[in-house]
């Protein structure tokens, strides 16, 4: 992963699963997808135009577009003196990491193909996140996590905007059923050092595996596996603030038998290794101490 800013007007970020580009005034950028992928275009200022074959779309400033690409070449250009246009190309490998079932991905793809323009309200949300790319002041150690979080938010927001809304399934659950799901949630949160199987969790609250898997995700929006991982990684971030704790100890506290397994899981979740975060926190701490010492002198 690399951020290239060799020139003032260059904005380019490459990742195996997605790319970020800025199209500046009087420039033209061609996107040639290697296979099926998703393209997000956000007109930051003054608007831009997209063309693919005989089709041409003009975006006004502040508007967004979400496209499902096949092998067709898409050309994006900005012809106004002050125009800027942000493009994000997501490969299918990116979406596969979003914990979306194949059936849901198919439904989303159909919705994207049949969708018209993105509403102004949703475009405004995407626009704000897009401008974060330009205003960033993030340490190079945290760039991967920064880009991953911003790009994921933009894509998921636009995907949600184009698909028909359905009533939340959790409203259909009985209170007794909801209570069992909550018990599982608390059991996980209070025992992060344990490595539970779904069978063990289901037995613990008196329900069956299939019911628990289906309704836990429906109610909390995450699979049990991803909820456990999220809790462990958030706890890891907190423990890393204590410089007295070793990486091995922290991993052990979160149920990882080997420090390397913990480091791998942490990097996959955040995009950087635990020691990188610890280094950044240490730098912030040292700067704070130095500032206080100057004030007290």
């Amino acid at each position: 992963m690399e951020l290239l800013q060799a020139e003032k007007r260059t904005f380019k970020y490459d990742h195996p699963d997605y790319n970020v580009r800025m199209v500046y005034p009087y420039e033209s950028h061609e996107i040639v997808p290697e296979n099926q992928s998703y393209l997000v275009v956000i007109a930051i200022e003054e608007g831009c135009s997209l063309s693919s074959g005989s089709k041409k779309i003009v975006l006004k400033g502040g508007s967004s577009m979400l496209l499902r690409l096949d092998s067709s070449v898409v050309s994006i250009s900005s012809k106004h003196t002050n125009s800027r246009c942000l493009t994000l190309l997501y490969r299918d490998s990116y979406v596969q990491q979003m914990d979306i079932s194949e059936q849901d991905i198919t439904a989303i793809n159909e919705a994207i193909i049949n969708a018209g323009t993105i509403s102004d309200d949703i475009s405004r949300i995407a626009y704000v996140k897009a401008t974060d790319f330009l205003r960033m002041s993030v340490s190079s150690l945290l760039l991967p996590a920064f880009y991953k979080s911003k790009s994921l938010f933009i894509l998921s927001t636009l995907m949600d905007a184009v698909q028909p809304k359905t009533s939340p399934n959790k409203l259909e659950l009985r209170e007794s059923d909801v209570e069992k799901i909550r018990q599982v949630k608390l059991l996980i949160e209070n025992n992060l050092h344990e490595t539970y199987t779904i069978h063990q969790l289901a037995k613990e609250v008196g329900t069956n595996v299939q019911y628990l898997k289906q309704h836990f995700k429906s109610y909390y929006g995450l699979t049990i596996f991803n909820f456990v991982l999220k809790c462990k990684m958030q706890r890891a971030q907190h423990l890393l603030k204590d410089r007295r704790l070793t990486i091995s100890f922290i991993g052990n506290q979160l149920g990882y038998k080997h420090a390397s397994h913990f480091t791998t899981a942490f990097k996959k979740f955040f995009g950087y290794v635990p020691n990188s975060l610890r280094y950044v926190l240490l730098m912030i701490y040292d700067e704070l101490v130095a500032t206080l010492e100057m004030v007290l002198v």
Side-chain angles (χ1 to χ4, degrees):
M1 293 172 280
E2 183 179 18
L3 178 65
L4 303 176
Q5 288 183 311
E7 301 178 7
K8 181 179 179 181
R9 283 156 52 90
T10 301
F11 186 95
K12 176 181 178 182
Y13 184 83
D14 290 321
H15 183 278
D17 296 325
Y18 63 97
N19 302 115
V20 183
R21 296 283 188 279
M22 182 68 74
V23 181
Y24 289 93
Y26 307 112
E27 292 182 348
S28 180
H29 175 54
E30 283 196 346
I31 296 176
V32 185
E34 299 172 1
N35 44 42
Q36 290 189 322
S37 51
Y38 301 86
L39 175 65
V40 169
V41 182
I42 302 173
I44 304 296
E45 293 182 37
E46 299 297 344
C48 58
S49 60
L50 293 75
S51 60
S52 178
S54 59
K55 296 181 180 179
K56 186 173 183 179
I57 302 171
V58 178
L59 293 181
K60 64 180 182 178
S63 58
S64 305
M65 177 65 67
L66 172 61
L67 301 172
R68 177 64 171 157
L69 305 183
D70 43 35
S71 57
S72 302
V73 176
V74 177
S75 179
I76 302 173
S77 60
S78 299
K79 296 184 179 180
H80 191 281
T81 305
N82 299 319
S83 63
R84 285 186 296 174
C85 186
L86 185 72
T87 69
L88 298 99
L89 181 67
Y90 305 85
R91 297 175 180 83
D92 278 359
S93 55
Y94 187 93
V95 179
Q96 289 167 4
Q97 299 177 35
M98 293 172 62
D99 192 36
I100 305 175
S101 69
E102 290 294 332
Q103 182 178 357
D104 290 340
I105 288 177
T106 300
I108 290 172
N109 289 344
E110 291 178 357
I112 292 173
I113 293 171
N114 297 324
T117 57
I118 303 296
S119 71
D120 289 342
D121 289 341
I122 299 300
S123 287
R124 194 173 299 113
I125 295 172
Y127 168 82
V128 170
K129 288 300 177 181
T131 56
D132 286 345
F133 283 104
L134 308 179
R135 296 195 303 261
M136 69 174 188
S137 57
V138 180
S139 163
S140 59
L141 292 171
L142 297 179
L143 274 177
F146 177 86
Y147 276 95
K148 181 178 181 180
S149 63
K150 298 296 180 185
S151 62
L152 176 59
F153 181 92
I154 290 172
L155 179 61
S156 57
T157 298
L158 296 184
M159 279 184 166
D160 184 60
V162 300
Q163 60 180 322
K165 297 296 182 287
T166 56
S167 300
N169 290 334
K170 63 182 178 183
L171 298 179
E172 302 171 3
L173 299 177
R174 296 172 298 181
E175 185 58 37
S176 59
D177 298 328
V178 172
E179 183 59 32
K180 290 180 180 180
I181 295 171
R182 289 173 176 165
Q183 287 177 21
V184 169
K185 178 178 180 288
L186 288 174
L187 188 62
I188 292 169
E189 292 174 331
N190 295 331
N191 298 277
L192 293 179
H193 60 286
E194 297 285 354
T195 304
Y196 290 109
T197 65
I198 297 180
H199 179 79
Q200 289 172 324
L201 292 170
K203 185 177 180 180
E204 210 48 57
V205 299
T207 187
N208 65 70
V209 171
Q210 287 304 118
Y211 176 93
L212 180 60
K213 287 169 63 177
Q214 177 182 354
H215 292 290
F216 188 96
K217 182 177 179 181
S218 171
Y219 195 79
Y220 288 112
L222 291 170
T223 64
I224 292 176
F225 173 81
N226 284 323
F227 179 77
V228 171
L229 181 62
K230 177 184 176 182
C231 290
K232 289 190 176 187
M233 293 301 104
Q234 289 177 337
R235 179 60 177 164
Q237 279 189 313
H238 176 74
L239 293 175
L240 284 165
K241 296 177 183 178
D242 190 337
R243 290 179 290 169
R244 297 170 299 177
L245 304 180
T246 65
I247 299 297
S248 179
F249 176 83
I250 293 173
N252 184 262
Q253 290 295 298
L254 297 172
Y256 293 93
K257 293 183 179 179
H258 305 287
S260 60
H261 294 170
F262 165 63
T263 299
T264 299
F266 190 95
K267 182 177 181 181
K268 186 174 181 180
F269 188 86
F270 289 111
Y272 52 90
V273 296
N275 275 329
S276 295
L277 176 61
R278 175 162 280 174
Y279 174 76
V280 172
L281 293 172
L282 178 61
M283 293 292 290
I284 295 173
Y285 173 79
D286 288 343
E287 288 180 9
L288 179 60
V289 171
T291 302
L292 289 174
E293 287 177 346
M294 291 176 65
V295 173
L296 295 174
V297 170

